[in-house]
Short mmCIF file of all heavy atoms in Angstrom, two decimals:
data_model
loop_
_atom_site.label_atom_id
_atom_site.label_comp_id
_atom_site.label_asym_id
_atom_site.label_seq_id
_atom_site.Cartn_x
_atom_site.Cartn_y
_atom_site.Cartn_z
N ASN B 44 153.52 124.80 118.63
CA ASN B 44 153.19 123.44 119.04
C ASN B 44 152.31 123.40 120.28
O ASN B 44 151.55 122.45 120.45
CB ASN B 44 154.47 122.64 119.25
CG ASN B 44 155.07 122.25 117.91
OD1 ASN B 44 154.40 121.66 117.09
ND2 ASN B 44 156.31 122.61 117.69
N SER B 45 152.41 124.43 121.11
CA SER B 45 151.57 124.43 122.30
C SER B 45 150.11 124.70 121.95
O SER B 45 149.21 124.42 122.71
CB SER B 45 152.07 125.47 123.30
OG SER B 45 151.84 126.76 122.79
N ARG B 46 149.90 125.25 120.73
CA ARG B 46 148.52 125.52 120.29
C ARG B 46 147.84 124.26 119.76
O ARG B 46 146.64 124.21 119.63
CB ARG B 46 148.53 126.58 119.18
CG ARG B 46 148.79 127.98 119.71
CD ARG B 46 148.57 128.98 118.58
NE ARG B 46 149.06 130.28 118.97
CZ ARG B 46 149.88 131.02 118.23
NH1 ARG B 46 150.31 130.58 117.08
NH2 ARG B 46 150.27 132.19 118.65
N LYS B 47 148.66 123.27 119.41
CA LYS B 47 148.10 122.05 118.84
C LYS B 47 147.48 121.20 119.94
O LYS B 47 147.83 121.33 121.10
CB LYS B 47 149.21 121.25 118.15
CG LYS B 47 149.74 121.96 116.92
CD LYS B 47 150.87 121.17 116.33
CE LYS B 47 151.46 121.92 115.16
NZ LYS B 47 152.71 121.32 114.70
N PRO B 48 146.56 120.29 119.57
CA PRO B 48 146.01 119.40 120.58
C PRO B 48 147.14 118.61 121.23
O PRO B 48 148.10 118.24 120.55
CB PRO B 48 145.10 118.46 119.77
CG PRO B 48 144.90 119.11 118.46
CD PRO B 48 146.06 120.02 118.23
N PRO B 49 147.06 118.36 122.52
CA PRO B 49 148.16 117.66 123.18
C PRO B 49 148.40 116.28 122.60
O PRO B 49 147.45 115.56 122.31
CB PRO B 49 147.72 117.57 124.64
CG PRO B 49 146.32 117.97 124.67
CD PRO B 49 145.99 118.70 123.42
N TYR B 50 149.68 115.97 122.40
CA TYR B 50 150.05 114.66 121.89
C TYR B 50 149.92 113.64 123.02
O TYR B 50 150.33 113.89 124.14
CB TYR B 50 151.51 114.68 121.41
CG TYR B 50 152.04 113.33 121.08
CD1 TYR B 50 151.92 112.82 119.80
CD2 TYR B 50 152.63 112.55 122.06
CE1 TYR B 50 152.40 111.56 119.49
CE2 TYR B 50 153.12 111.28 121.75
CZ TYR B 50 153.00 110.80 120.48
OH TYR B 50 153.46 109.55 120.17
N THR B 51 149.31 112.54 122.72
CA THR B 51 149.28 111.46 123.71
C THR B 51 149.56 110.15 123.01
O THR B 51 149.09 109.92 121.91
CB THR B 51 147.91 111.34 124.41
OG1 THR B 51 146.91 111.20 123.42
CG2 THR B 51 147.62 112.51 125.30
N ASN B 52 150.37 109.31 123.62
CA ASN B 52 150.48 107.95 123.11
C ASN B 52 149.63 107.07 124.01
O ASN B 52 149.15 107.52 125.05
CB ASN B 52 151.94 107.50 123.00
CG ASN B 52 152.58 107.24 124.34
OD1 ASN B 52 151.90 106.92 125.30
ND2 ASN B 52 153.90 107.38 124.40
N PRO B 53 149.36 105.82 123.62
CA PRO B 53 148.41 105.00 124.38
C PRO B 53 148.74 104.92 125.86
O PRO B 53 147.86 105.00 126.71
CB PRO B 53 148.52 103.64 123.71
CG PRO B 53 148.93 103.94 122.31
CD PRO B 53 149.83 105.13 122.41
N ARG B 54 150.04 104.79 126.17
CA ARG B 54 150.40 104.66 127.59
C ARG B 54 150.09 105.93 128.35
O ARG B 54 149.58 105.92 129.46
CB ARG B 54 151.88 104.31 127.72
CG ARG B 54 152.11 102.82 127.61
CD ARG B 54 153.58 102.52 127.55
NE ARG B 54 154.10 102.87 126.24
CZ ARG B 54 155.33 102.61 125.84
NH1 ARG B 54 156.16 102.01 126.65
NH2 ARG B 54 155.74 102.95 124.64
N GLU B 55 150.40 107.08 127.71
CA GLU B 55 150.13 108.35 128.39
C GLU B 55 148.63 108.62 128.49
O GLU B 55 148.16 109.20 129.46
CB GLU B 55 150.82 109.49 127.65
CG GLU B 55 152.32 109.45 127.85
CD GLU B 55 153.05 110.28 126.82
OE1 GLU B 55 152.44 110.65 125.81
OE2 GLU B 55 154.23 110.52 127.04
N ARG B 56 147.90 108.17 127.44
CA ARG B 56 146.45 108.39 127.44
C ARG B 56 145.83 107.68 128.64
O ARG B 56 144.90 108.16 129.25
CB ARG B 56 145.85 107.87 126.13
CG ARG B 56 144.63 108.64 125.72
CD ARG B 56 144.13 108.18 124.36
NE ARG B 56 145.09 108.44 123.30
CZ ARG B 56 145.44 107.56 122.38
NH1 ARG B 56 144.91 106.37 122.37
NH2 ARG B 56 146.30 107.88 121.46
N CYS B 57 146.39 106.50 128.98
CA CYS B 57 145.88 105.76 130.13
C CYS B 57 145.98 106.60 131.39
O CYS B 57 145.13 106.58 132.24
CB CYS B 57 146.68 104.47 130.34
SG CYS B 57 146.36 103.27 129.05
N LYS B 58 147.06 107.38 131.45
CA LYS B 58 147.26 108.20 132.64
C LYS B 58 146.51 109.52 132.52
O LYS B 58 146.47 110.30 133.45
CB LYS B 58 148.74 108.49 132.83
CG LYS B 58 149.60 107.27 133.03
CD LYS B 58 151.06 107.73 133.02
CE LYS B 58 151.97 106.55 132.70
NZ LYS B 58 153.30 106.98 132.28
N GLY B 59 145.97 109.77 131.33
CA GLY B 59 145.23 111.01 131.12
C GLY B 59 146.12 112.23 131.04
O GLY B 59 145.66 113.35 131.21
N LEU B 60 147.39 112.03 130.78
CA LEU B 60 148.31 113.15 130.71
C LEU B 60 149.05 113.14 129.40
O LEU B 60 149.27 112.08 128.82
CB LEU B 60 149.34 113.06 131.85
CG LEU B 60 148.79 113.21 133.26
CD1 LEU B 60 149.87 112.86 134.27
CD2 LEU B 60 148.28 114.62 133.49
N SER B 61 149.42 114.29 128.92
CA SER B 61 150.21 114.39 127.69
C SER B 61 151.56 115.01 128.01
O SER B 61 151.75 115.61 129.06
CB SER B 61 149.48 115.25 126.67
OG SER B 61 149.57 116.59 127.05
N VAL B 62 152.46 114.89 127.05
CA VAL B 62 153.77 115.50 127.22
C VAL B 62 153.64 117.00 127.40
O VAL B 62 154.29 117.60 128.26
CB VAL B 62 154.66 115.19 125.99
CG1 VAL B 62 155.93 115.99 126.03
CG2 VAL B 62 154.96 113.71 125.93
N VAL B 63 152.79 117.60 126.56
CA VAL B 63 152.63 119.05 126.61
C VAL B 63 152.05 119.46 127.97
O VAL B 63 152.52 120.41 128.60
CB VAL B 63 151.74 119.55 125.46
CG1 VAL B 63 151.47 121.03 125.57
CG2 VAL B 63 152.39 119.23 124.12
N GLU B 64 151.05 118.71 128.42
CA GLU B 64 150.44 119.04 129.72
C GLU B 64 151.46 118.89 130.84
O GLU B 64 151.51 119.68 131.77
CB GLU B 64 149.24 118.11 129.99
CG GLU B 64 148.02 118.48 129.16
CD GLU B 64 146.99 117.37 129.12
OE1 GLU B 64 147.37 116.20 129.35
OE2 GLU B 64 145.83 117.67 128.86
N ARG B 65 152.25 117.85 130.76
CA ARG B 65 153.23 117.61 131.81
C ARG B 65 154.41 118.55 131.68
O ARG B 65 154.98 118.96 132.69
CB ARG B 65 153.73 116.16 131.76
CG ARG B 65 152.68 115.15 132.12
CD ARG B 65 153.14 113.76 131.76
NE ARG B 65 154.24 113.34 132.61
CZ ARG B 65 154.21 112.22 133.31
NH1 ARG B 65 153.18 111.44 133.25
NH2 ARG B 65 155.23 111.89 134.05
N GLY B 66 154.76 118.84 130.44
CA GLY B 66 155.85 119.77 130.20
C GLY B 66 157.21 119.26 130.64
O GLY B 66 158.15 120.02 130.80
N GLU B 67 157.34 117.99 130.85
CA GLU B 67 158.61 117.46 131.33
C GLU B 67 159.03 116.25 130.50
O GLU B 67 158.73 115.11 130.86
CB GLU B 67 158.47 117.03 132.81
CG GLU B 67 158.27 118.16 133.78
CD GLU B 67 159.53 119.00 133.98
OE1 GLU B 67 160.63 118.53 133.61
OE2 GLU B 67 159.39 120.12 134.48
N PRO B 68 159.76 116.49 129.42
CA PRO B 68 160.17 115.36 128.57
C PRO B 68 160.95 114.29 129.33
O PRO B 68 160.74 113.09 129.12
CB PRO B 68 161.06 116.02 127.51
CG PRO B 68 160.68 117.44 127.51
CD PRO B 68 160.22 117.76 128.88
N TYR B 69 161.82 114.72 130.23
CA TYR B 69 162.65 113.76 130.97
C TYR B 69 161.78 112.88 131.87
O TYR B 69 161.91 111.64 131.86
CB TYR B 69 163.71 114.52 131.79
CG TYR B 69 164.42 113.65 132.78
CD1 TYR B 69 165.38 112.73 132.36
CD2 TYR B 69 164.14 113.75 134.14
CE1 TYR B 69 166.04 111.92 133.28
CE2 TYR B 69 164.78 112.96 135.06
CZ TYR B 69 165.73 112.04 134.64
OH TYR B 69 166.36 111.24 135.55
N GLU B 70 160.90 113.50 132.63
CA GLU B 70 160.04 112.73 133.55
C GLU B 70 159.13 111.78 132.76
O GLU B 70 158.90 110.64 133.18
CB GLU B 70 159.19 113.68 134.41
CG GLU B 70 159.98 114.50 135.41
CD GLU B 70 160.74 113.63 136.42
OE1 GLU B 70 160.29 112.52 136.71
OE2 GLU B 70 161.80 114.08 136.90
N THR B 71 158.61 112.27 131.65
CA THR B 71 157.71 111.46 130.81
C THR B 71 158.45 110.24 130.25
O THR B 71 157.95 109.12 130.28
CB THR B 71 157.16 112.30 129.66
OG1 THR B 71 156.51 113.44 130.21
CG2 THR B 71 156.15 111.52 128.82
N ALA B 72 159.67 110.49 129.75
CA ALA B 72 160.46 109.39 129.18
C ALA B 72 160.83 108.38 130.27
O ALA B 72 160.74 107.16 130.06
CB ALA B 72 161.71 109.95 128.53
N LYS B 73 161.21 108.89 131.41
CA LYS B 73 161.60 108.01 132.52
C LYS B 73 160.42 107.14 132.97
O LYS B 73 160.60 105.99 133.37
CB LYS B 73 162.08 108.88 133.69
CG LYS B 73 162.81 108.11 134.76
CD LYS B 73 163.36 109.06 135.81
CE LYS B 73 164.05 108.27 136.92
NZ LYS B 73 164.59 109.15 137.95
N ALA B 74 159.22 107.69 132.86
CA ALA B 74 158.01 106.95 133.26
C ALA B 74 157.55 105.98 132.16
O ALA B 74 156.54 105.31 132.31
CB ALA B 74 156.89 107.94 133.58
N GLY B 75 158.31 105.93 131.06
CA GLY B 75 157.96 104.98 129.99
C GLY B 75 157.06 105.54 128.91
O GLY B 75 156.57 104.81 128.07
N GLY B 76 156.85 106.86 128.92
CA GLY B 76 155.99 107.48 127.90
C GLY B 76 156.79 107.87 126.68
O GLY B 76 157.69 107.14 126.26
N ARG B 77 156.44 109.02 126.10
CA ARG B 77 157.13 109.51 124.89
C ARG B 77 158.64 109.52 125.10
O ARG B 77 159.11 110.02 126.12
CB ARG B 77 156.61 110.92 124.59
CG ARG B 77 157.15 111.57 123.34
CD ARG B 77 156.34 112.85 123.13
NE ARG B 77 156.99 113.81 122.28
CZ ARG B 77 156.83 113.85 120.94
NH1 ARG B 77 156.06 112.99 120.35
NH2 ARG B 77 157.43 114.79 120.24
N HIS B 78 159.39 108.98 124.19
CA HIS B 78 160.85 108.86 124.23
C HIS B 78 161.33 107.90 125.34
O HIS B 78 162.49 107.98 125.76
CB HIS B 78 161.54 110.23 124.43
CG HIS B 78 161.23 111.24 123.37
ND1 HIS B 78 161.43 110.99 122.02
CD2 HIS B 78 160.74 112.50 123.46
CE1 HIS B 78 161.07 112.08 121.34
NE2 HIS B 78 160.64 113.00 122.18
N GLY B 79 160.45 107.03 125.79
CA GLY B 79 160.83 106.08 126.86
C GLY B 79 161.97 105.17 126.44
O GLY B 79 162.89 104.91 127.23
N ALA B 80 161.92 104.66 125.22
CA ALA B 80 162.99 103.77 124.74
C ALA B 80 164.30 104.54 124.57
O ALA B 80 165.38 104.01 124.82
CB ALA B 80 162.58 103.13 123.41
N PHE B 81 164.18 105.79 124.16
CA PHE B 81 165.36 106.65 124.01
C PHE B 81 166.04 106.82 125.38
O PHE B 81 167.26 106.68 125.50
CB PHE B 81 164.91 108.00 123.46
CG PHE B 81 166.00 109.01 123.24
CD1 PHE B 81 166.81 108.93 122.11
CD2 PHE B 81 166.21 110.04 124.14
CE1 PHE B 81 167.83 109.87 121.90
CE2 PHE B 81 167.20 110.98 123.93
CZ PHE B 81 168.01 110.89 122.81
N TYR B 82 165.23 107.08 126.39
CA TYR B 82 165.76 107.21 127.76
C TYR B 82 166.44 105.92 128.20
O TYR B 82 167.56 105.94 128.71
CB TYR B 82 164.62 107.58 128.72
CG TYR B 82 165.00 107.48 130.18
CD1 TYR B 82 165.71 108.51 130.81
CD2 TYR B 82 164.67 106.34 130.92
CE1 TYR B 82 166.07 108.40 132.14
CE2 TYR B 82 165.03 106.23 132.24
CZ TYR B 82 165.74 107.26 132.85
OH TYR B 82 166.11 107.14 134.17
N GLN B 83 165.77 104.79 127.98
CA GLN B 83 166.33 103.50 128.41
C GLN B 83 167.65 103.21 127.70
O GLN B 83 168.59 102.69 128.30
CB GLN B 83 165.34 102.37 128.14
CG GLN B 83 164.12 102.38 129.05
CD GLN B 83 164.48 102.22 130.53
OE1 GLN B 83 165.51 101.66 130.87
NE2 GLN B 83 163.61 102.72 131.40
N ALA B 84 167.69 103.53 126.41
CA ALA B 84 168.91 103.24 125.63
C ALA B 84 170.09 104.07 126.15
O ALA B 84 171.19 103.56 126.31
CB ALA B 84 168.65 103.52 124.16
N TYR B 85 169.84 105.35 126.42
CA TYR B 85 170.93 106.23 126.83
C TYR B 85 171.29 106.08 128.31
O TYR B 85 172.41 106.38 128.71
CB TYR B 85 170.61 107.69 126.49
CG TYR B 85 171.11 108.07 125.11
CD1 TYR B 85 170.28 108.00 124.01
CD2 TYR B 85 172.44 108.46 124.91
CE1 TYR B 85 170.74 108.32 122.74
CE2 TYR B 85 172.90 108.78 123.64
CZ TYR B 85 172.06 108.71 122.56
OH TYR B 85 172.53 109.01 121.30
N ARG B 86 170.35 105.62 129.08
CA ARG B 86 170.57 105.47 130.52
C ARG B 86 171.74 104.52 130.79
O ARG B 86 172.44 104.64 131.79
CB ARG B 86 169.27 104.93 131.12
CG ARG B 86 169.19 105.00 132.60
CD ARG B 86 167.79 104.63 133.04
NE ARG B 86 167.86 104.08 134.39
CZ ARG B 86 167.66 102.81 134.67
NH1 ARG B 86 167.34 101.96 133.74
NH2 ARG B 86 167.75 102.38 135.91
N GLN B 87 171.93 103.58 129.87
CA GLN B 87 172.98 102.58 130.06
C GLN B 87 174.32 103.01 129.45
O GLN B 87 175.29 102.28 129.52
CB GLN B 87 172.55 101.26 129.42
CG GLN B 87 171.31 100.68 130.06
CD GLN B 87 170.64 99.64 129.17
OE1 GLN B 87 171.30 99.00 128.39
NE2 GLN B 87 169.34 99.49 129.30
N ARG B 88 174.34 104.18 128.83
CA ARG B 88 175.56 104.58 128.14
C ARG B 88 176.46 105.46 129.01
O ARG B 88 176.02 106.06 129.98
CB ARG B 88 175.20 105.32 126.85
CG ARG B 88 174.45 104.42 125.88
CD ARG B 88 174.28 105.06 124.53
NE ARG B 88 173.35 104.28 123.71
CZ ARG B 88 173.01 104.60 122.47
NH1 ARG B 88 173.50 105.68 121.91
NH2 ARG B 88 172.17 103.83 121.79
N ARG B 89 177.73 105.51 128.59
CA ARG B 89 178.71 106.31 129.33
C ARG B 89 178.42 107.81 129.14
O ARG B 89 177.80 108.20 128.14
CB ARG B 89 180.13 105.99 128.84
CG ARG B 89 180.59 104.60 129.25
CD ARG B 89 181.99 104.30 128.73
NE ARG B 89 181.98 104.14 127.29
CZ ARG B 89 182.64 104.94 126.45
NH1 ARG B 89 183.34 105.96 126.90
NH2 ARG B 89 182.61 104.73 125.14
#
Side-chain angles (χ1 to χ4, degrees):
Chain B
N44 284 306
S45 69
R46 284 189 192 129
K47 292 177 184 169
Y50 171 90
T51 54
N52 71 26
R54 275 172 286 186
E55 288 163 345
R56 210 175 296 133
C57 290
K58 299 173 201 162
L60 294 171
S61 74
V62 171
V63 176
E64 285 164 337
R65 292 168 69 125
E67 292 288 344
Y69 169 74
E70 292 299 332
T71 303
K73 194 175 178 180
R77 183 171 159 91
H78 301 306
F81 180 79
Y82 169 81
Q83 289 298 335
Y85 269 95
R86 193 172 153 251
Q87 297 162 29
R88 297 189 190 180
R89 290 179 290 117

